[in-house]
Amino acid sequence: MRYQHQIGHKEYFFLADAALNTAADLLSNIIKDQEPQFNILQDGKLLQIGWNYFRVSKKEGQYQLLAPDYTHNPFEDTTVDLSLALTYFKEQSKAISHAGIQPLETTFQDTLIVETGALSADRIYMIRDSAPENGDSGWTCTSVFFSGPSSLEDYVKAYTYQLRRFCEQAISILHFPVGTIAVFEKGRLIEAVGENNEKLL
């Protein structure tokens, strides 16, 4: 579906599944709020909105929003179909709202530490040990719950977007605060608790 809007003398549009109209409206409202003050609709401009970065491309007098292509290399590849980006945006917004938390800025290009066993385990734990800093999200993903690594060789660094390969639903809680522990069983969220063991989801 084509979502088309006009702000002042500028027209912009983006393409996404019709089922994502609520997320599309939220995206449009953010742009509507930001454009008058920051002039964000410019050819080549990158817009950080939540976890995603959208690229503005001027085409035949209109501005089109492009999304990172998470099915390939989102650092280099873009797609005209915003459906996947808006799906993540929708799920993250819903999780933040339900948990009633103050989100921590986290993007698809931030890194996390992954225990290699978690890449194939049925049950995994997501633990946020620290606030985002210098591109590090502060998240650790393990297959066994414990306070620290037994061997550095058992761990690799990954980008948060790479969670989609082995625990896609974990992307929905990436904005949760320091101290969060989330448990996933076969890719499905079982529970998320805060640093004082209060239930978040």
Side-chain angles (χ1 to χ4, degrees):
M1 176 174 174
R2 181 184 176 105
Y3 295 87
Q4 185 149 339
H5 300 274
Q6 182 156 345
I7 303 174
H9 65 281
K10 293 182 178 179
E11 291 185 1
Y12 76 94
F13 71 95
F14 56 88
L15 307 176
D17 194 302
L20 293 165
N21 62 308
T22 301
D25 287 345
L26 184 54
L27 173 62
S28 298
N29 286 334
I30 292 171
I31 293 172
K32 181 180 178 181
D33 289 342
Q34 296 292 313
E35 168 60 20
Q37 185 175 356
F38 299 108
N39 192 28
I40 60 176
L41 291 175
Q42 298 182 55
D43 189 37
K45 186 91 168 178
L46 276 179
L47 312 178
Q48 182 190 341
I49 299 177
W51 187 68
N52 299 288
Y53 280 87
F54 298 100
R55 183 178 295 278
V56 181
S57 175
K58 193 170 185 179
K59 188 176 183 180
E60 297 178 355
Q62 292 185 320
Y63 297 90
Q64 181 175 10
L65 298 186
L66 308 176
D69 188 348
Y70 298 117
T71 65
H72 293 90
N73 180 355
F75 291 96
E76 297 180 359
D77 302 321
T78 57
T79 175
V80 297
D81 185 356
L82 273 57
S83 297
L84 188 56
L86 287 182
T87 296
Y88 293 142
F89 184 48
K90 172 186 170 184
E91 293 304 315
Q92 289 166 345
S93 298
K94 184 167 69 173
I96 290 166
S97 177
H98 284 182
I101 53 97
Q102 184 66 35
L104 288 179
E105 184 176 292
T106 308
T107 72
F108 78 87
Q109 60 188 4
D110 291 334
T111 59
L112 74 159
I113 302 300
V114 181
E115 183 225 345
T116 53
L119 297 172
S120 57
D122 284 343
R123 172 168 286 213
I124 69 168
Y125 299 85
M126 290 284 293
I127 304 162
R128 188 162 219 168
D129 298 311
S130 60
E133 185 178 11
N134 299 323
D136 178 2
S137 71
W139 284 101
T140 301
C141 177
T142 73
S143 60
V144 180
F145 178 65
F146 59 101
S147 59
S150 55
S151 170
L152 290 177
E153 284 129 13
D154 295 333
Y155 286 77
V156 294
K157 187 176 281 192
Y159 294 105
T160 60
Y161 83 88
Q162 292 174 312
L163 283 165
R164 66 183 307 272
R165 298 179 183 173
F166 63 97
C167 189
E168 191 169 32
Q169 197 177 7
I171 293 173
S172 68
I173 55 103
L174 287 175
H175 296 283
F176 278 37
V178 174
T180 297
I181 300 171
V183 185
F184 295 84
E185 189 76 39
K186 294 183 178 178
R188 186 173 67 88
L189 178 67
I190 301 300
E191 187 176 36
V193 297
E195 62 179 346
N196 297 316
N197 210 35
E198 73 278 16
K199 186 175 176 65
L200 299 175
L201 291 175

